[in-house]
Structure formats: structure tokens, C-alpha cells
Amino acid sequence: MGKLSDHIQEADWKSEKHAPVINCEDSVVKGEFFEVEVSVGKEIPHPNTTEHHINWITLFFHPKGEKFSYQVGHYEFSAHGESAEGANQGPVYSNPVVKVSLKTDKPGTFHALSFCNIHGLWESSKEIDVK
Ligand code: FE2
């Protein structure tokens, strides 16, 4: 019996379309809101079809030296061309890109976890400093 974390994959997002990308400043200002964009398929687009798509991305923040992680947000992507006419005949497709605004007084690490309905769980991380 393994742990779920044993099955979370990790890779360079520049060569692996499933790896989530966390985009924000390396250093942010204490107490001031800043934006973090999280996406899947930034360099190599991931398919977005009824049969194969990104279901969700969750973003966590782990303050440096602390025990617990905090969930910043959970973002679901629900439109993948589903339709009464059949798969991939629908009028709307959601793109797995989200932008969130947040503030913190502590340096730490963002962790993004994403889920492909076929290729499972993927994670990536990005450290930030606070001035
Ligand atoms: Fe996939």
C-alpha cells in the first residue's frame, strides 16, 4: 500500500504539458496584494476535449518553517465540449488558467496540484520572498 503522494508526478513544465506553472514575482511586498497565475500547458498545450482534459488546479501556500500548508484556492474547469449532440460538439471549452490575488507577511512556497482526467496528479512549486 502506497501513499497518494507516491503517485503525484513532477516534471519541467517546459517539456511536460501536465506540469502546472506558477507565475508570480520572486519577491513580494509585505501586506500588499499581488497576483499569482497558475496554468497547465503554458509551453506545450494540453488537449482540451471531452475525453481528455484538465479537471482542476488547487493552489496551496506553505509559510517557511511552519508545519501546515494553507489552501489558497481550488479551481475547477468544467467545460470541455460536452453537448447533447455528442462529445466535442459543445459550444464552450474552459482553459486551465487562473489568476488569484493574495497577500502574505511571510515568505514561503506555493504548491500547485493539478488533475488530468487521464494522466492523474501533477505538482509544482515556487518559492517567494517577502520584503
Ligand atoms: Fe492529460
Side-chain angles (χ1 to χ4, degrees):
M1 190 171 72
K3 294 189 293 182
L4 180 61
S5 57
D6 296 337
H7 309 297
I8 300 174
Q9 302 177 81
E10 212 171 349
D12 182 354
W13 60 267
K14 287 180 180 155
S15 55
E16 170 51 59
K17 63 179 176 283
H18 288 93
V21 183
I22 302 168
N23 192 23
C24 68
E25 299 294 327
D26 295 333
S27 181
V28 302
V29 180
K30 190 174 188 171
E32 280 189 16
F33 283 101
F34 61 97
E35 290 187 338
V36 180
E37 185 189 86
V38 192
S39 60
V40 173
K42 189 181 174 87
E43 183 76 19
I44 307 164
H46 184 277
N48 186 4
T49 64
T50 304
E51 299 87 356
H52 184 194
H53 50 261
I54 302 301
N55 283 99
W56 51 258
I57 297 173
T58 303
L59 181 66
F60 299 94
F61 182 66
H62 193 103
K64 195 175 187 174
E66 294 194 10
K67 183 174 180 180
F68 301 112
S69 297
Y70 297 85
Q71 183 175 316
V72 175
H74 176 74
Y75 312 99
E76 299 219 18
F77 308 103
S78 302
H80 313 284
E82 297 88 341
S83 163
E85 276 74 54
N88 303 304
Q89 303 299 309
V92 60
Y93 293 80
S94 48
N95 199 25
V97 181
V98 291
K99 196 178 271 185
V100 58
S101 176
L102 67 136
K103 63 180 179 177
T104 180
D105 288 347
K106 298 189 172 179
T109 305
F110 286 111
H111 298 283
L113 183 64
S114 62
F115 181 69
C116 167
N117 70 322
I118 291 177
H119 301 109
L121 292 163
W122 293 78
E123 70 172 325
S124 66
S125 305
K126 179 182 170 63
E127 244 180 85
I128 58 158
D129 197 11
V130 173
K131 301 273 187 218

